[in-house]
Amino acid sequence: QAFIASVAGSIMLCSSQKHGDLDFWERQFSEGVYDDTYEWVADFDVLCPMLADAISHTSCAACKVLHLGCGNSDLAERLYHDLSVRQVTSVDFAESAIRSMAARNATLRPELQWLVSDCSDMR
């Protein structure tokens, strides 16, 4: 099983079996292997110009973002604060990451949604 991420023309390929293993990620997040937030593919500052350009073609109030495999990324938080996007749904199969991010954002950013789901097996 391979995972491919593409950002700004750069492609990252991860073929390690552990990255598709829920137990691996639950251990990573519950044991605090990553900081409060971690960007696996690209930092928001890299993504922001592309996202701002895409959002400029519509009203921020109408923008909807689906972030698959979010882990503990701060992408939703940064979209909320930096680009005024309120409708962000972040999805990951690691319940510990989703639980942590939902708690972290419940008061400050209540519009953000956090869902536990396996994006490779959505029905």
Side-chain angles (χ1 to χ4, degrees):
Q1 193 174 35
F3 301 89
I4 299 173
S6 176
V7 176
S10 298
I11 296 178
M12 183 175 94
L13 174 64
C14 177
S15 60
S16 174
Q17 292 236 318
K18 68 183 179 185
H19 291 106
D21 178 37
L22 175 58
D23 292 332
F24 168 80
W25 289 110
E26 286 294 355
R27 280 191 308 279
Q28 301 298 300
F29 292 120
S30 64
E31 295 174 6
V33 172
Y34 300 108
D35 295 329
D36 286 341
T37 62
Y38 181 79
E39 300 307 326
W40 201 55
V41 176
D43 187 78
F44 183 80
D45 295 333
V46 172
L47 299 173
C48 187
M50 293 175 285
L51 294 171
D53 183 54
I55 290 169
S56 70
H57 300 291
T58 186
S59 160
C60 288
C63 290
K64 294 181 181 180
V65 175
L66 176 62
H67 185 189
L68 301 175
C70 64
N72 64 349
S73 167
D74 70 354
L75 178 64
E77 297 167 346
R78 298 288 304 270
L79 285 167
Y80 189 98
H81 284 294
D82 296 6
L83 298 179
S84 300
V85 177
R86 300 295 189 251
Q87 297 183 65
V88 182
T89 301
S90 298
V91 182
D92 202 285
F93 69 170
E95 185 176 349
S96 57
I98 293 297
R99 188 174 44 248
S100 172
M101 294 305 288
R104 173 186 162 116
N105 288 283
T107 302
L108 294 175
R109 296 169 280 272
E111 299 94 337
L112 300 180
Q113 294 186 23
W114 305 91
L115 302 175
V116 176
S117 185
D118 183 346
C119 298
S120 68
D121 190 26
M122 296 176 75
R123 295 177 198 164

